[in-house]
Amino acid sequence: AADLVVQLSTSLKTKPDVVDFGTVFTDHMLTVEWNANDGWQTPLIRPFGDLSLHPACSALHYAVELFEGLKVYRGDDKRLRLFRPLLNMERMSKSAERACLPAFDQSELLGCIKRLIEIDQDWVPHLGPACLYIRPTLIGTEPSLGVKKPNRALLYVIMCQAGSYFNTELSLWADPKYTRAWKGGTGDCKMGGNYGGTLFAQLEAGSYGCQQVLWLYGEDHQITEGGTMNIFLHWINEDGDEELATPPLDGTILPGVTRQSILDLARKWDEFKVLERYLTMGQLCSALKQQRLKEMFGSGTACRVCHIGSIVYEEKNLQLPNQDKHSLSSRIATELTDIQHGRSPSDWTYLV
Ligand SMILES: Cc1ncc(COP(=O)(O)O)c(C=O)c1O
C-alpha cells in the first residue's frame, strides 16, 4: 500500500441521483498485476476504464476468478466506515487458494482499498441507507488455453453506489432439481462460476412469480441459501425452545459476513437458542403447520436482512408469518445499521 502509484482522472463524472445497482462506477479503480516470476507489482490507482485481456485468458475460459462484496457507509458523524472488512479479506484469501490464484497480504490490500475510497469519497452517498459498494476482483490472466494454475493474474477493485436492493419482502421458489453448491465443490468460496450457473434457475423462479431461488440440497431437501443470501429461521424448535437457526458451514454455504454478525449479535443477547444446524423443507412445513415459525429471513451485504414472505414448493404457495416492528429481522437490521452508520460504537467498524 505504501508503494501505491496514483494517476488521477482529469474528467470526473457527474454523480447520478438514482441508479440501478452495479451500473455506474466511481472515477477511479485499483489494479495490481501479478506474475509467477516477479510476484505482485506496484499497485496502481487510475481512472476507471476498460481492461485489455488476452482472448485466451483463463478467467474467460475456465472461470479462474473470484470476487468480494463489501460496503462503505457514511456515518451520522460524516465519517466513512467499512463493516468487518477483514472478514472479506479472509474470505477472499480462501477463495484465491481454492481458485489456484496467488495469495496476497490482506492488510496491504485493505490499505490500498482505503486509499481508493479516500480518493473517490464524494461518491459515498450523503443521505439515507445508500452507500458505496466495493467489488474487489481477482482474475487469472494466463494467456493460454491450458487448463492449469495461472502464471499471471490481475487483482482489481471497482466501486459503485448502492441502495438496499431488496426493499420489500421476498418470495422464493424452491425446487430440488437445481443445486447451487455441493459438498467438495466451491460453494463456500465467492467464485464467479458459482453465480453464472444460477441464472437459469433464477429465470424459472421468475416464471412462478418469485424473486429468488431457495436453494435446496440432498434427498431430504435441506435449506441452504436464498438467491445470494444466507438463510435464518426464527422459530420454536421441535423441543419447544425458541431458536434462531441457520445451516452450518459444511462447504455448501457461503460464510457470509452478515450471517456471522447476526450469529455473534444473537449469541451476545443470549435471549434464545442460536444454532448452526441442518434445516429441511419438511421441518419448515411442520413448523408452519404447527404455527411454530416466527420468521424466516435472508442475510447479506446487499440487503443486510430481508424478510421472506412466501415460498413456492411442491406446487404449494407457502405463506410465512408477516414481518412487523417486533420481528427479529427488524431488530437485527436496526442494530446493524446503527453500527454501520456509527450510531452504536463497535469494534466491527473500520474507519477510512
Ligand atoms: C451465495 C451467497 N450467500 C451469502 C451471501 C452473503 O454474504 P455476505 O453477508 O458476506 O454479503 C452472499 C453475498 O454476496 C452470496 O453471494
Side-chain angles (χ1 to χ4, degrees):
D3 297 337
L4 256 173
V5 171
V6 178
Q7 293 169 2
L8 292 179
S9 169
T10 50
S11 57
L12 299 184
K13 294 181 240 180
T14 324
K15 296 166 194 68
D17 286 338
V18 185
V19 285
D20 283 343
F21 172 74
T23 53
V24 178
F25 293 88
T26 66
D27 291 305
H28 298 90
M29 64 195 282
L30 169 78
T31 57
V32 202
E33 298 206 20
W34 174 90
N35 70 67
N37 288 333
D38 308 313
W40 289 105
Q41 303 300 293
T42 306
L44 176 66
I45 289 178
R46 57 160 163 115
F48 185 94
D50 293 347
L51 300 174
S52 174
L53 294 174
H54 191 283
C57 92
S58 52
L60 295 179
H61 291 266
Y62 308 123
V64 183
E65 81 90 49
L66 59 96
F67 61 98
E68 264 306 321
L70 64 162
K71 286 176 168 175
V72 56
Y73 305 86
R74 193 181 292 279
D76 293 359
D77 57 359
K78 310 275 179 272
R79 301 203 65 179
L80 301 184
R81 289 176 178 82
L82 291 162
F83 182 72
R84 309 188 83 178
L86 282 169
L87 293 184
N88 294 92
M89 295 297 106
E90 205 179 301
R91 187 169 67 189
M92 186 164 170
S93 292
K94 286 196 179 127
S95 301
E97 188 183 357
R98 184 68 168 85
C100 294
L101 283 165
F104 56 90
D105 185 308
Q106 298 177 20
S107 60
E108 290 296 311
L109 175 56
L110 190 55
C112 292
I113 293 175
K114 182 172 188 270
R115 187 81 187 93
L116 179 67
I117 298 168
E118 280 165 0
I119 288 173
D120 279 344
Q121 58 180 282
D122 285 349
W123 282 84
V124 185
H126 285 260
L127 291 175
C131 53
L132 197 65
Y133 179 82
I134 305 166
R135 171 55 66 91
T137 312
L138 178 53
I139 62 175
T141 50
E142 172 83 30
S144 133
L145 290 179
V147 182
K148 58 179 181 177
K149 182 174 155 65
N151 283 314
R152 284 175 53 180
L154 174 70
L155 193 161
Y156 64 92
V157 182
I158 52 179
M159 307 194 293
C160 60
Q161 286 184 341
S164 183
Y165 75 65
F166 305 121
N167 287 319
T168 53
E169 61 177 28
L170 267 186
S171 54
L172 300 180
W173 175 69
D175 189 320
K177 74 177 171 180
Y178 296 117
T179 308
R180 188 196 83 91
W182 46 91
K183 286 182 187 155
T186 56
D188 56 348
C189 296
K190 220 162 156 59
M191 289 160 56
N194 293 342
Y195 295 81
T198 66
L199 298 181
F200 192 72
Q202 166 77 23
L203 283 184
E204 198 163 331
S207 74
Y208 285 87
C210 298
Q211 292 151 296
Q212 294 286 331
V213 179
L214 177 61
W215 297 102
L216 305 181
Y217 184 74
E219 299 292 311
D220 54 351
H221 300 180
Q222 286 162 28
I223 294 168
T224 63
E225 303 209 47
T228 56
M229 294 182 302
N230 294 114
I231 292 286
F232 284 85
L233 291 191
H234 180 211
W235 66 350
I236 307 297
N237 70 14
E238 301 87 335
D239 301 326
D241 300 321
E242 183 178 346
E243 180 178 282
L244 177 68
T246 191
L249 301 178
D250 65 355
T252 65
I253 307 286
L254 190 84
V257 174
T258 322
R259 173 190 181 280
Q260 188 57 53
S261 306
I262 293 171
L263 290 172
D264 293 344
L265 279 180
R267 285 182 177 136
K268 194 179 79 187
W269 293 338
D270 196 19
E271 293 170 20
F272 39 76
K273 282 191 162 175
V274 180
L275 276 194
E276 293 169 75
R277 54 166 279 185
Y278 287 107
L279 298 163
T280 65
M281 282 307 290
Q283 289 166 331
L284 174 65
C285 292
S286 308
L288 258 182
K289 212 162 147 194
Q290 296 162 6
Q291 300 192 325
R292 286 189 286 110
L293 183 67
K294 289 170 165 286
E295 194 187 11
M296 181 168 177
F297 57 89
S299 73
T301 298
C303 66
R304 288 191 187 97
V305 181
C306 187
H307 175 80
I308 297 165
S310 60
I311 304 174
V312 172
Y313 173 65
E314 292 186 337
E315 290 164 22
K316 289 194 222 45
N317 193 346
L318 308 173
Q319 295 300 314
L320 310 190
N322 291 332
Q323 183 186 36
D324 60 35
K325 61 179 190 316
H326 305 294
S327 301
L328 192 57
S329 66
S330 310
R331 179 177 175 191
I332 290 169
T334 305
E335 189 100 4
L336 289 177
T337 312
D338 284 351
I339 293 174
Q340 289 159 346
H341 289 270
R343 292 188 279 270
S344 303
S346 167
D347 56 8
W348 283 353
T349 55
Y350 172 97
L351 282 170
V352 174

